Amino acid sequence: MGAGNHDIVRSTRFGGGELGSVRARAALVALLGLPGAAYLYQGQELGLPEVDVPVEARADPMWARGGVCRDGARVPLPWTADAAMSHGFSLAEPAADPWLSIPAGWGTHAIEQQEQVPGSSLNITKTALELRRQLWKNEVFTADDGGSWRVEAGNLLICERNAHFLVAVAMGTEPVKLPAGTVLLSAAPLAEDGWLQPNNAAWVLKD
């Protein structure tokens, strides 16, 4: 089970802008609750958007050879909000230029910023990973989990991982009723108890 890679555009392109960011967080939560191994491509835990790297600054050899550029997902990670030292990515003195240009406003996605925001993409990812470890330790998750899929009313996508746990993703335009159980995690706070709003995903421990 994966979550993107450097050969495709970032999942934060799901609609672009704030909508894309909300959907990307939901995708992260959904992915980390599914059966099997999971990997996150660099910056995905930060919800980094795809970058439109200027033509003159592109470094991907595939751009020169075939007109396909993968550099939009390879811009250095922003560690600090301050742009100094490529937003903390390079600690060299004097600061070295990164291999790809960093767009204006990149610091809004910085790790140091997101660490202070409970609902940030970074903190949601940390929470999901820790909960994933706990569920494995408590044998709610097992190596035998296979997963069965269905779509319920209102375009609620369900992956029933096993008899005890399911992942729900609201793919429609209206809030949808979740299956009975305890919500362990959601990508965004639930607008109403037991209901999942559009563009959100949740982990449910079944009754």
Side-chain angles (χ1 to χ4, degrees), residues 4-132:
N5 57 65
H6 69 178
D7 289 326
I8 60 175
V9 296
R10 291 191 181 278
S11 59
T12 36
R13 298 287 284 186
F14 295 148
E18 182 56 30
L19 176 61
S21 178
V22 168
R23 288 175 170 173
R25 286 196 291 272
L28 274 172
V29 167
L31 173 92
L32 292 173
L34 297 180
Y39 65 85
L40 302 178
Y41 180 65
Q42 63 138 24
Q44 202 142 15
E45 74 283 6
L46 303 179
L48 291 183
E50 185 80 3
V51 176
D52 185 11
V53 178
V55 172
E56 65 276 10
R58 294 178 183 179
D60 186 358
M62 285 187 64
W63 171 251
R65 296 170 185 167
V68 175
C69 186
R70 302 166 297 176
D71 286 337
R74 295 172 168 181
V75 174
L77 299 181
W79 288 84
T80 62
D82 193 313
M85 296 183 174
S86 301
H87 289 287
F89 188 84
S90 172
L91 300 180
E93 290 287 0
D97 290 332
W99 68 92
L100 289 170
S101 58
I102 295 176
W106 203 231
T108 60
H109 306 289
I111 293 167
E112 70 171 9
Q113 299 251 105
Q114 295 203 34
E115 285 178 333
Q116 308 305 315
V117 181
S120 70
S121 181
L122 176 60
N123 281 322
I124 287 171
T125 304
K126 286 181 176 181
T127 299
L129 290 172
E130 178 57 31
L131 184 54
R132 182 182 168 100

Side-chain angles (χ1 to χ4, degrees), residues 142-168:
T142 75
D144 296 326
D145 294 342
S148 62
W149 296 80
R150 66 181 185 272
V151 178
E152 296 189 347
N155 286 324
L156 179 66
L157 178 65
I158 300 286
C159 175
E160 201 156 6
R161 177 168 179 150
N162 55 42
H164 310 289
F165 179 91
L166 62 83
V167 175

